[in-house]
Amino acid sequence: MTVHFIGAGPGAGDLLTLRAVRLLGESQVCLYAGTYLDAEVLSHCPPGAHLVDTQHLTLDEITARLVEATAQGHHVARLCSGDPSVYSAVAEQTRRLDAAGVPWDVTPGVPAYAAAAALVGRELTVPEVAQSVVLTRTHQDSTRMPATEELAAFAATGATLVLHLSIRHTRRLAAELVPHYGEACPVVVGSQVTQPGELVLRGTLADIADQVEAAGLRQAAVILVGAALGAADFVESHLYSCHRAAGRATAP
């Protein structure tokens, strides 16, 4: 029996991969993070499946449920919001499952920042504006960040920033970023993107904190920062450039 860590995407039931839907349908037990997922995702579970909301469980309690279910002969779906490769605690859970001798695998999902970018119709890597995306978070309410991963160091590159687990500190973070990006730098905040309670805010580093506080956002939100979010005058990428096409036409 196997524990399947499944990326549930940003929350919409139709933004799961085909593999994710198949594995959910084969799992008699499903543990999910109720804070971040819409109930529609759970509709892919088989009739009579045992559903466990983990939002109030400790890691030890979650692991115990996973081990117990596999010992009873069940495949288990462990739904992770977004994509399991980022801020999912998969490393902590799989380490414990390895110690218990429980097999597991991972199925990727649509990350929330990608869904937010899609909703506003923006690419995060625009030619000669920003070609890098930094996924990071604040450390105010969680484990410490490594000493080499200060926000200012990332901001100094001018890359597009994706800030997770940071919405309650928007005002402080905006103030830290202004010296590097400027007050007029575009910002997008996505809360519960693709779910019934979806809210997308568009602003700048100068006004986004006011918008976030007015909306009362406290969790389940991602912040995107960078010039790419508002870029209109930029060069064509080399892949589709007329110069590259001309070179192909004249090649011997």
Side-chain angles (χ1 to χ4, degrees):
M1 298 297 103
T2 302
V3 173
H4 304 294
F5 290 90
I6 299 173
D14 61 351
L15 276 180
L16 277 73
T17 65
L18 293 175
R19 180 184 300 176
V21 171
R22 176 177 60 80
L23 291 175
L24 278 173
E26 296 172 354
S27 299
Q28 300 92 339
V29 179
C30 176
L31 280 71
Y32 66 98
T35 304
Y36 300 102
L37 301 181
D38 182 53
E40 184 186 356
V41 174
L42 301 176
S43 67
H44 298 295
C45 295
H50 180 49
L51 307 178
V52 180
D53 187 347
T54 62
Q55 61 178 308
H56 299 302
L57 299 181
T58 65
L59 190 58
D60 284 336
E61 291 170 334
I62 292 171
T63 303
R65 298 290 186 94
L66 298 175
V67 173
E68 178 185 9
T70 56
Q72 293 174 347
H74 300 309
H75 289 297
V76 185
R78 174 63 173 119
L79 282 174
C80 309
S81 61
D83 179 75
S85 67
V86 181
Y87 306 123
S88 65
V90 161
E92 299 159 61
Q93 295 171 78
T94 55
R95 179 171 61 184
R96 291 169 183 240
L97 292 178
D98 286 341
V102 175
W104 54 269
D105 56 32
V106 180
T107 296
V110 177
Y113 74 85
L119 285 172
V120 297
R122 284 293 178 177
E123 183 180 354
L124 303 183
T125 54
V126 175
E128 296 189 11
V129 176
Q131 289 289 282
S132 301
V133 179
V134 175
L135 310 179
T136 188
R137 62 168 177 82
T138 182
H139 64 275
Q140 193 72 25
D141 303 314
S142 54
T143 51
R144 291 180 298 172
M145 295 287 287
T148 56
E149 295 186 16
E150 293 295 328
L151 184 61
F154 293 136
T157 68
T160 303
L161 297 183
V162 176
L163 301 173
H164 292 270
L165 309 172
S166 304
I167 195 65
R168 287 186 289 173
H169 308 289
T170 302
R171 188 170 297 280
R172 173 176 61 83
L173 295 172
E176 290 182 24
L177 295 175
V178 164
H180 303 281
Y181 291 91
E183 289 188 340
C185 179
V187 180
V188 171
V189 171
S191 173
Q192 295 184 308
V193 290
T194 77
Q195 299 184 45
E198 171 186 288
L199 177 64
V200 177
L201 305 176
R202 302 188 69 164
T204 66
L205 286 175
D207 64 22
I208 196 63
D210 290 336
Q211 293 190 51
V212 167
E213 291 169 7
L217 299 184
R218 301 288 295 171
Q219 62 181 3
V222 63
I223 306 171
L224 312 181
V225 181
L229 296 168
D233 184 16
F234 52 88
V235 302
E236 299 291 311
S237 64
H238 178 69
L239 178 63
Y240 299 112
S241 70
C242 58
H243 301 292
R244 185 167 182 265
R248 289 199 303 268
T250 58

